[in-house]
Amino acid sequence: MSSEQTPTTPASAAADAEEAGPRPGRLTAAAVLAALEGLALVAGGVWMLVEGLTGHPDDRTAAVTGGVTLIVLALLPLLAARGLIGRKGWSRGPAVITQILALPVAYNMVRADSLAVPAGIVLGVVAVTALVLLVNPSTTQALGIRGPGSARK
């Protein structure tokens, strides 16, 4: 059985984390930013859902659908944040995808000429910061991600 096929127990996972050393601050910061984005999506989704059900929207179905969609979309950054905290290599992909998707949203918010402009600026800064943290070599190393051509033998 290879090490990839060997089942891990919580005790062995904790021992592996201790062997790897403390979690880099950049990894923790990236996880926090992803979690904040996920929580913001949940909050926006709940707000849209409540407004759609109790308020007077132009289109109640669209408001409810939009709210549910935002809540479901929040799962991606929230799961990524949990994986980053647990040093799971798979978690960087969803976290990076979340940041890349946030950039055009931030751009459109900045161009809105409304109260969305400050939120767009904050979202853009958070997305770029998280991307920089996620591609940082210390983050990559802590997640056990190796570059192309450096697979284990």
mmCIF file with all atom_site columns, all heavy atoms in Angstrom, residues 10-32:
data_model
loop_
_atom_site.group_PDB
_atom_site.id
_atom_site.type_symbol
_atom_site.label_atom_id
_atom_site.label_alt_id
_atom_site.label_comp_id
_atom_site.label_asym_id
_atom_site.label_entity_id
_atom_site.label_seq_id
_atom_site.pdbx_PDB_ins_code
_atom_site.Cartn_x
_atom_site.Cartn_y
_atom_site.Cartn_z
_atom_site.occupancy
_atom_site.B_iso_or_equiv
_atom_site.pdbx_formal_charge
_atom_site.auth_seq_id
_atom_site.auth_comp_id
_atom_site.auth_asym_id
_atom_site.auth_atom_id
_atom_site.pdbx_PDB_model_num
ATOM 1   N N   . PRO A 1 10 ? -7.423  10.416 12.983 1.00 0.00 ? 10 PRO A N   1
ATOM 2   C CA  . PRO A 1 10 ? -7.246  11.771 13.506 1.00 0.00 ? 10 PRO A CA  1
ATOM 3   C C   . PRO A 1 10 ? -5.922  11.948 14.245 1.00 0.00 ? 10 PRO A C   1
ATOM 4   O O   . PRO A 1 10 ? -5.295  12.985 14.162 1.00 0.00 ? 10 PRO A O   1
ATOM 5   C CB  . PRO A 1 10 ? -8.446  11.956 14.441 1.00 0.00 ? 10 PRO A CB  1
ATOM 6   C CG  . PRO A 1 10 ? -9.494  11.024 13.896 1.00 0.00 ? 10 PRO A CG  1
ATOM 7   C CD  . PRO A 1 10 ? -8.718  9.851  13.338 1.00 0.00 ? 10 PRO A CD  1
ATOM 8   N N   . ALA A 1 11 ? -5.474  10.904 14.939 1.00 0.00 ? 11 ALA A N   1
ATOM 9   C CA  . ALA A 1 11 ? -4.212  11.007 15.677 1.00 0.00 ? 11 ALA A CA  1
ATOM 10  C C   . ALA A 1 11 ? -3.033  11.131 14.721 1.00 0.00 ? 11 ALA A C   1
ATOM 11  O O   . ALA A 1 11 ? -2.110  11.926 14.944 1.00 0.00 ? 11 ALA A O   1
ATOM 12  C CB  . ALA A 1 11 ? -4.033  9.803  16.587 1.00 0.00 ? 11 ALA A CB  1
ATOM 13  N N   . SER A 1 12 ? -3.055  10.332 13.626 1.00 0.00 ? 12 SER A N   1
ATOM 14  C CA  . SER A 1 12 ? -1.945  10.420 12.680 1.00 0.00 ? 12 SER A CA  1
ATOM 15  C C   . SER A 1 12 ? -1.978  11.733 11.913 1.00 0.00 ? 12 SER A C   1
ATOM 16  O O   . SER A 1 12 ? -0.941  12.270 11.549 1.00 0.00 ? 12 SER A O   1
ATOM 17  C CB  . SER A 1 12 ? -1.952  9.240  11.716 1.00 0.00 ? 12 SER A CB  1
ATOM 18  O OG  . SER A 1 12 ? -3.077  9.290  10.869 1.00 0.00 ? 12 SER A OG  1
ATOM 19  N N   . ALA A 1 13 ? -3.175  12.260 11.650 1.00 0.00 ? 13 ALA A N   1
ATOM 20  C CA  . ALA A 1 13 ? -3.280  13.556 10.977 1.00 0.00 ? 13 ALA A CA  1
ATOM 21  C C   . ALA A 1 13 ? -2.717  14.663 11.858 1.00 0.00 ? 13 ALA A C   1
ATOM 22  O O   . ALA A 1 13 ? -2.026  15.567 11.385 1.00 0.00 ? 13 ALA A O   1
ATOM 23  C CB  . ALA A 1 13 ? -4.728  13.856 10.612 1.00 0.00 ? 13 ALA A CB  1
ATOM 24  N N   . ALA A 1 14 ? -2.984  14.590 13.154 1.00 0.00 ? 14 ALA A N   1
ATOM 25  C CA  . ALA A 1 14 ? -2.444  15.585 14.080 1.00 0.00 ? 14 ALA A CA  1
ATOM 26  C C   . ALA A 1 14 ? -0.928  15.475 14.164 1.00 0.00 ? 14 ALA A C   1
ATOM 27  O O   . ALA A 1 14 ? -0.221  16.484 14.219 1.00 0.00 ? 14 ALA A O   1
ATOM 28  C CB  . ALA A 1 14 ? -3.067  15.426 15.466 1.00 0.00 ? 14 ALA A CB  1
ATOM 29  N N   . ALA A 1 15 ? -0.420  14.247 14.140 1.00 0.00 ? 15 ALA A N   1
ATOM 30  C CA  . ALA A 1 15 ? 1.030   14.053 14.180 1.00 0.00 ? 15 ALA A CA  1
ATOM 31  C C   . ALA A 1 15 ? 1.674   14.601 12.917 1.00 0.00 ? 15 ALA A C   1
ATOM 32  O O   . ALA A 1 15 ? 2.746   15.205 12.971 1.00 0.00 ? 15 ALA A O   1
ATOM 33  C CB  . ALA A 1 15 ? 1.358   12.575 14.343 1.00 0.00 ? 15 ALA A CB  1
ATOM 34  N N   . ASP A 1 16 ? 1.031   14.387 11.758 1.00 0.00 ? 16 ASP A N   1
ATOM 35  C CA  . ASP A 1 16 ? 1.559   14.930 10.505 1.00 0.00 ? 16 ASP A CA  1
ATOM 36  C C   . ASP A 1 16 ? 1.608   16.449 10.551 1.00 0.00 ? 16 ASP A C   1
ATOM 37  O O   . ASP A 1 16 ? 2.555   17.063 10.073 1.00 0.00 ? 16 ASP A O   1
ATOM 38  C CB  . ASP A 1 16 ? 0.707   14.490 9.315  1.00 0.00 ? 16 ASP A CB  1
ATOM 39  C CG  . ASP A 1 16 ? 0.848   13.002 9.032  1.00 0.00 ? 16 ASP A CG  1
ATOM 40  O OD1 . ASP A 1 16 ? 1.816   12.396 9.539  1.00 0.00 ? 16 ASP A OD1 1
ATOM 41  O OD2 . ASP A 1 16 ? -0.022  12.463 8.312  1.00 0.00 ? 16 ASP A OD2 1
ATOM 42  N N   . ALA A 1 17 ? 0.583   17.082 11.108 1.00 0.00 ? 17 ALA A N   1
ATOM 43  C CA  . ALA A 1 17 ? 0.547   18.539 11.196 1.00 0.00 ? 17 ALA A CA  1
ATOM 44  C C   . ALA A 1 17 ? 1.661   19.052 12.108 1.00 0.00 ? 17 ALA A C   1
ATOM 45  O O   . ALA A 1 17 ? 2.268   20.081 11.832 1.00 0.00 ? 17 ALA A O   1
ATOM 46  C CB  . ALA A 1 17 ? -0.813  19.011 11.703 1.00 0.00 ? 17 ALA A CB  1
ATOM 47  N N   . GLU A 1 18 ? 1.915   18.312 13.205 1.00 0.00 ? 18 GLU A N   1
ATOM 48  C CA  . GLU A 1 18 ? 2.985   18.731 14.109 1.00 0.00 ? 18 GLU A CA  1
ATOM 49  C C   . GLU A 1 18 ? 4.348   18.592 13.446 1.00 0.00 ? 18 GLU A C   1
ATOM 50  O O   . GLU A 1 18 ? 5.229   19.411 13.644 1.00 0.00 ? 18 GLU A O   1
ATOM 51  C CB  . GLU A 1 18 ? 2.925   17.912 15.398 1.00 0.00 ? 18 GLU A CB  1
ATOM 52  C CG  . GLU A 1 18 ? 1.786   18.311 16.313 1.00 0.00 ? 18 GLU A CG  1
ATOM 53  C CD  . GLU A 1 18 ? 1.749   17.461 17.575 1.00 0.00 ? 18 GLU A CD  1
ATOM 54  O OE1 . GLU A 1 18 ? 2.763   16.801 17.887 1.00 0.00 ? 18 GLU A OE1 1
ATOM 55  O OE2 . GLU A 1 18 ? 0.711   17.462 18.241 1.00 0.00 ? 18 GLU A OE2 1
ATOM 56  N N   . GLU A 1 19 ? 4.527   17.515 12.648 1.00 0.00 ? 19 GLU A N   1
ATOM 57  C CA  . GLU A 1 19 ? 5.790   17.323 11.946 1.00 0.00 ? 19 GLU A CA  1
ATOM 58  C C   . GLU A 1 19 ? 6.042   18.432 10.942 1.00 0.00 ? 19 GLU A C   1
ATOM 59  O O   . GLU A 1 19 ? 7.168   18.828 10.711 1.00 0.00 ? 19 GLU A O   1
ATOM 60  C CB  . GLU A 1 19 ? 5.796   15.980 11.209 1.00 0.00 ? 19 GLU A CB  1
ATOM 61  C CG  . GLU A 1 19 ? 5.946   14.786 12.102 1.00 0.00 ? 19 GLU A CG  1
ATOM 62  C CD  . GLU A 1 19 ? 5.862   13.487 11.323 1.00 0.00 ? 19 GLU A CD  1
ATOM 63  O OE1 . GLU A 1 19 ? 5.937   13.522 10.080 1.00 0.00 ? 19 GLU A OE1 1
ATOM 64  O OE2 . GLU A 1 19 ? 5.733   12.440 11.958 1.00 0.00 ? 19 GLU A OE2 1
ATOM 65  N N   . ALA A 1 20 ? 4.980   18.921 10.321 1.00 0.00 ? 20 ALA A N   1
ATOM 66  C CA  . ALA A 1 20 ? 5.111   19.954 9.301  1.00 0.00 ? 20 ALA A CA  1
ATOM 67  C C   . ALA A 1 20 ? 5.415   21.315 9.913  1.00 0.00 ? 20 ALA A C   1
ATOM 68  O O   . ALA A 1 20 ? 5.766   22.237 9.202  1.00 0.00 ? 20 ALA A O   1
ATOM 69  C CB  . ALA A 1 20 ? 3.831   20.035 8.472  1.00 0.00 ? 20 ALA A CB  1
ATOM 70  N N   . GLY A 1 21 ? 5.272   21.446 11.202 1.00 0.00 ? 21 GLY A N   1
ATOM 71  C CA  . GLY A 1 21 ? 5.544   22.707 11.868 1.00 0.00 ? 21 GLY A CA  1
ATOM 72  C C   . GLY A 1 21 ? 4.296   23.564 11.968 1.00 0.00 ? 21 GLY A C   1
ATOM 73  O O   . GLY A 1 21 ? 3.210   23.158 11.581 1.00 0.00 ? 21 GLY A O   1
ATOM 74  N N   . PRO A 1 22 ? 4.472   24.762 12.510 1.00 0.00 ? 22 PRO A N   1
ATOM 75  C CA  . PRO A 1 22 ? 3.309   25.636 12.671 1.00 0.00 ? 22 PRO A CA  1
ATOM 76  C C   . PRO A 1 22 ? 2.771   26.098 11.316 1.00 0.00 ? 22 PRO A C   1
ATOM 77  O O   . PRO A 1 22 ? 3.500   26.174 10.333 1.00 0.00 ? 22 PRO A O   1
ATOM 78  C CB  . PRO A 1 22 ? 3.852   26.815 13.478 1.00 0.00 ? 22 PRO A CB  1
ATOM 79  C CG  . PRO A 1 22 ? 5.322   26.807 13.222 1.00 0.00 ? 22 PRO A CG  1
ATOM 80  C CD  . PRO A 1 22 ? 5.703   25.374 12.974 1.00 0.00 ? 22 PRO A CD  1
ATOM 81  N N   . ARG A 1 23 ? 1.475   26.382 11.287 1.00 0.00 ? 23 ARG A N   1
ATOM 82  C CA  . ARG A 1 23 ? 0.842   26.854 10.051 1.00 0.00 ? 23 ARG A CA  1
ATOM 83  C C   . ARG A 1 23 ? 1.353   28.260 9.752  1.00 0.00 ? 23 ARG A C   1
ATOM 84  O O   . ARG A 1 23 ? 1.360   29.133 10.622 1.00 0.00 ? 23 ARG A O   1
ATOM 85  C CB  . ARG A 1 23 ? -0.676  26.894 10.234 1.00 0.00 ? 23 ARG A CB  1
ATOM 86  C CG  . ARG A 1 23 ? -1.421  27.288 8.983  1.00 0.00 ? 23 ARG A CG  1
ATOM 87  C CD  . ARG A 1 23 ? -2.934  27.383 9.165  1.00 0.00 ? 23 ARG A CD  1
ATOM 88  N NE  . ARG A 1 23 ? -3.516  26.335 9.947  1.00 0.00 ? 23 ARG A NE  1
ATOM 89  C CZ  . ARG A 1 23 ? -4.022  26.519 11.178 1.00 0.00 ? 23 ARG A CZ  1
ATOM 90  N NH1 . ARG A 1 23 ? -4.000  27.684 11.745 1.00 0.00 ? 23 ARG A NH1 1
ATOM 91  N NH2 . ARG A 1 23 ? -4.541  25.512 11.842 1.00 0.00 ? 23 ARG A NH2 1
ATOM 92  N N   . PRO A 1 24 ? 1.805   28.504 8.515  1.00 0.00 ? 24 PRO A N   1
ATOM 93  C CA  . PRO A 1 24 ? 2.286   29.839 8.165  1.00 0.00 ? 24 PRO A CA  1
ATOM 94  C C   . PRO A 1 24 ? 1.173   30.882 8.311  1.00 0.00 ? 24 PRO A C   1
ATOM 95  O O   . PRO A 1 24 ? -0.003  30.599 8.039  1.00 0.00 ? 24 PRO A O   1
ATOM 96  C CB  . PRO A 1 24 ? 2.703   29.710 6.703  1.00 0.00 ? 24 PRO A CB  1
ATOM 97  C CG  . PRO A 1 24 ? 2.845   28.255 6.443  1.00 0.00 ? 24 PRO A CG  1
ATOM 98  C CD  . PRO A 1 24 ? 1.947   27.565 7.401  1.00 0.00 ? 24 PRO A CD  1
ATOM 99  N N   . GLY A 1 25 ? 1.547   32.068 8.716  1.00 0.00 ? 25 GLY A N   1
ATOM 100 C CA  . GLY A 1 25 ? 0.575   33.145 8.865  1.00 0.00 ? 25 GLY A CA  1
ATOM 101 C C   . GLY A 1 25 ? -0.125  33.476 7.557  1.00 0.00 ? 25 GLY A C   1
ATOM 102 O O   . GLY A 1 25 ? -1.301  33.847 7.542  1.00 0.00 ? 25 GLY A O   1
ATOM 103 N N   . ARG A 1 26 ? 0.588   33.348 6.453  1.00 0.00 ? 26 ARG A N   1
ATOM 104 C CA  . ARG A 1 26 ? -0.012  33.636 5.148  1.00 0.00 ? 26 ARG A CA  1
ATOM 105 C C   . ARG A 1 26 ? -1.140  32.657 4.840  1.00 0.00 ? 26 ARG A C   1
ATOM 106 O O   . ARG A 1 26 ? -2.148  33.030 4.257  1.00 0.00 ? 26 ARG A O   1
ATOM 107 C CB  . ARG A 1 26 ? 1.044   33.587 4.056  1.00 0.00 ? 26 ARG A CB  1
ATOM 108 C CG  . ARG A 1 26 ? 1.999   34.736 4.119  1.00 0.00 ? 26 ARG A CG  1
ATOM 109 C CD  . ARG A 1 26 ? 3.021   34.646 2.989  1.00 0.00 ? 26 ARG A CD  1
ATOM 110 N NE  . ARG A 1 26 ? 3.827   35.832 2.960  1.00 0.00 ? 26 ARG A NE  1
ATOM 111 C CZ  . ARG A 1 26 ? 5.061   35.907 3.429  1.00 0.00 ? 26 ARG A CZ  1
ATOM 112 N NH1 . ARG A 1 26 ? 5.624   34.838 3.945  1.00 0.00 ? 26 ARG A NH1 1
ATOM 113 N NH2 . ARG A 1 26 ? 5.733   37.032 3.365  1.00 0.00 ? 26 ARG A NH2 1
ATOM 114 N N   . LEU A 1 27 ? -0.955  31.405 5.218  1.00 0.00 ? 27 LEU A N   1
ATOM 115 C CA  . LEU A 1 27 ? -1.991  30.398 4.995  1.00 0.00 ? 27 LEU A CA  1
ATOM 116 C C   . LEU A 1 27 ? -3.213  30.696 5.855  1.00 0.00 ? 27 LEU A C   1
ATOM 117 O O   . LEU A 1 27 ? -4.351  30.633 5.384  1.00 0.00 ? 27 LEU A O   1
ATOM 118 C CB  . LEU A 1 27 ? -1.444  29.003 5.302  1.00 0.00 ? 27 LEU A CB  1
ATOM 119 C CG  . LEU A 1 27 ? -2.389  27.829 5.106  1.00 0.00 ? 27 LEU A CG  1
ATOM 120 C CD1 . LEU A 1 27 ? -2.879  27.765 3.663  1.00 0.00 ? 27 LEU A CD1 1
ATOM 121 C CD2 . LEU A 1 27 ? -1.710  26.531 5.499  1.00 0.00 ? 27 LEU A CD2 1
ATOM 122 N N   . THR A 1 28 ? -2.985  31.059 7.091  1.00 0.00 ? 28 THR A N   1
ATOM 123 C CA  . THR A 1 28 ? -4.085  31.415 7.982  1.00 0.00 ? 28 THR A CA  1
ATOM 124 C C   . THR A 1 28 ? -4.818  32.647 7.467  1.00 0.00 ? 28 THR A C   1
ATOM 125 O O   . THR A 1 28 ? -6.052  32.689 7.456  1.00 0.00 ? 28 THR A O   1
ATOM 126 C CB  . THR A 1 28 ? -3.561  31.671 9.407  1.00 0.00 ? 28 THR A CB  1
ATOM 127 O OG1 . THR A 1 28 ? -2.850  30.509 9.852  1.00 0.00 ? 28 THR A OG1 1
ATOM 128 C CG2 . THR A 1 28 ? -4.681  31.987 10.372 1.00 0.00 ? 28 THR A CG2 1
ATOM 129 N N   . ALA A 1 29 ? -4.070  33.656 7.015  1.00 0.00 ? 29 ALA A N   1
ATOM 130 C CA  . ALA A 1 29 ? -4.692  34.875 6.490  1.00 0.00 ? 29 ALA A CA  1
ATOM 131 C C   . ALA A 1 29 ? -5.528  34.576 5.247  1.00 0.00 ? 29 ALA A C   1
ATOM 132 O O   . ALA A 1 29 ? -6.639  35.097 5.090  1.00 0.00 ? 29 ALA A O   1
ATOM 133 C CB  . ALA A 1 29 ? -3.624  35.918 6.175  1.00 0.00 ? 29 ALA A CB  1
ATOM 134 N N   . ALA A 1 30 ? -5.020  33.722 4.364  1.00 0.00 ? 30 ALA A N   1
ATOM 135 C CA  . ALA A 1 30 ? -5.779  33.348 3.167  1.00 0.00 ? 30 ALA A CA  1
ATOM 136 C C   . ALA A 1 30 ? -7.059  32.627 3.552  1.00 0.00 ? 30 ALA A C   1
ATOM 137 O O   . ALA A 1 30 ? -8.123  32.855 2.958  1.00 0.00 ? 30 ALA A O   1
ATOM 138 C CB  . ALA A 1 30 ? -4.929  32.476 2.250  1.00 0.00 ? 30 ALA A CB  1
ATOM 139 N N   . ALA A 1 31 ? -6.990  31.759 4.555  1.00 0.00 ? 31 ALA A N   1
ATOM 140 C CA  . ALA A 1 31 ? -8.179  31.038 5.018  1.00 0.00 ? 31 ALA A CA  1
ATOM 141 C C   . ALA A 1 31 ? -9.201  32.003 5.619  1.00 0.00 ? 31 ALA A C   1
ATOM 142 O O   . ALA A 1 31 ? -10.406 31.879 5.368  1.00 0.00 ? 31 ALA A O   1
ATOM 143 C CB  . ALA A 1 31 ? -7.788  29.979 6.039  1.00 0.00 ? 31 ALA A CB  1
ATOM 144 N N   . VAL A 1 32 ? -8.724  32.969 6.375  1.00 0.00 ? 32 VAL A N   1
ATOM 145 C CA  . VAL A 1 32 ? -9.630  33.954 6.979  1.00 0.00 ? 32 VAL A CA  1
ATOM 146 C C   . VAL A 1 32 ? -10.315 34.784 5.900  1.00 0.00 ? 32 VAL A C   1
ATOM 147 O O   . VAL A 1 32 ? -11.527 35.030 5.957  1.00 0.00 ? 32 VAL A O   1
ATOM 148 C CB  . VAL A 1 32 ? -8.862  34.855 7.976  1.00 0.00 ? 32 VAL A CB  1
ATOM 149 C CG1 . VAL A 1 32 ? -9.684  36.063 8.385  1.00 0.00 ? 32 VAL A CG1 1
ATOM 150 C CG2 . VAL A 1 32 ? -8.449  34.048 9.199  1.00 0.00 ? 32 VAL A CG2 1
#
